[in-house]
Amino acid sequence: MDDRQFDEFAVLCGELLRDFGWQDHICLTWCEGIDVREAAHRLGADMESGAPATVADVRVAVWAAARPSRYDLVVLGKLGTWTLLVEEMGMLGATSDVLSALSRDGRALNVHWHVNMSGRITYAVDGEIVSCFQTSTPEEKLGIEPGSLSAYGGGLRFGDGSEMFERRASALLLARRLTGERLTREWLDSIHSMYFIPS
């Protein structure tokens, strides 16, 4: 990917983040080889709470505080051969325990950021955290194989010399390269499954 192609991708990402209100906070977790209900089970969801919903439906519920405080509210949906977990306010998918559970006998990738952090990427395989780094300091990698994501990093803009929107676009592009699946506006507008996760 050359600079022009990256810049075009970054513009599209910026529009998506703005339209869905993700500039300040989002937590996205891709898990391979398991369906929505299995992913919900591994998250510890209240399985009876599953209901059809779009990402926008959950955003409205979260911001309106239309849920008991003892629950996290998440969206799960199939994206190709992967299942994607979307958290508007929570960060369950960013925790080691959850990533280990979601990657058991497979792979899981988490991308998240919030108002006080430009972004972090964590990759788990077979229940182990393989690689983890903050997008502002990509040279400081942790995990049992810290360099395992390097093959997907060509042309990406991480580090202090990059702008925050470039790091976030780079994180989403890395996820697309690893999973082979595009996160589109159409997917985000579609009906998926909403679950309550007891805190």
Side-chain angles (χ1 to χ4, degrees), residues 109-140:
L109 179 76
N110 175 265
V111 170
H112 78 279
W113 57 75
H114 52 74
V115 68
N116 295 318
M117 185 185 67
S118 65
R120 189 173 73 184
I121 298 171
T122 308
Y123 181 44
V125 179
D126 292 332
E128 300 280 353
I129 303 301
V130 174
S131 184
C132 178
F133 65 92
Q134 293 203 31
T135 58
S136 59
T137 54
E139 67 282 357
E140 299 176 8

Side-chain angles (χ1 to χ4, degrees), residues 88-124:
E88 289 278 342
M89 291 298 291
M91 289 197 298
L92 286 171
T95 64
S96 297
D97 287 348
V98 167
L99 280 173
S100 294
L102 291 175
S103 68
R104 192 169 64 244
D105 302 319
R107 298 183 292 169
L109 179 76
N110 175 265
V111 170
H112 78 279
W113 57 75
H114 52 74
V115 68
N116 295 318
M117 185 185 67
S118 65
R120 189 173 73 184
I121 298 171
T122 308
Y123 181 44

Side-chain angles (χ1 to χ4, degrees), residues 1-3 6 109 121 131 133 138 141 146-159 166-167 169-178:
M1 175 175 283
D2 60 27
D3 286 346
F6 180 89
L109 179 76
I121 298 171
S131 184
F133 65 92
K141 295 180 175 68
S148 58
L149 293 175
S150 298
Y152 306 99
L156 302 185
R157 301 178 187 174
F158 295 126
E166 293 177 322
R167 297 175 206 160
S170 292
L172 294 177
L173 184 52
L174 186 150
R176 189 173 84 175
R177 289 174 175 176
L178 185 143

Side-chain angles (χ1 to χ4, degrees), residues 3-45:
D3 286 346
R4 179 185 60 80
Q5 291 171 319
F6 180 89
D7 289 341
E8 291 173 352
F9 180 82
V11 168
L12 292 174
C13 278
E15 292 173 353
L16 198 69
L17 300 185
R18 180 199 64 213
D19 292 348
F20 283 86
W22 291 356
Q23 300 101 318
D24 291 336
H25 184 284
I26 193 59
C27 186
L28 302 169
T29 309
W30 292 256
C31 41
E32 183 184 38
I34 58 175
D35 63 20
V36 166
R37 283 190 62 82
E38 177 61 20
H41 174 71
R42 295 188 190 189
L43 285 166

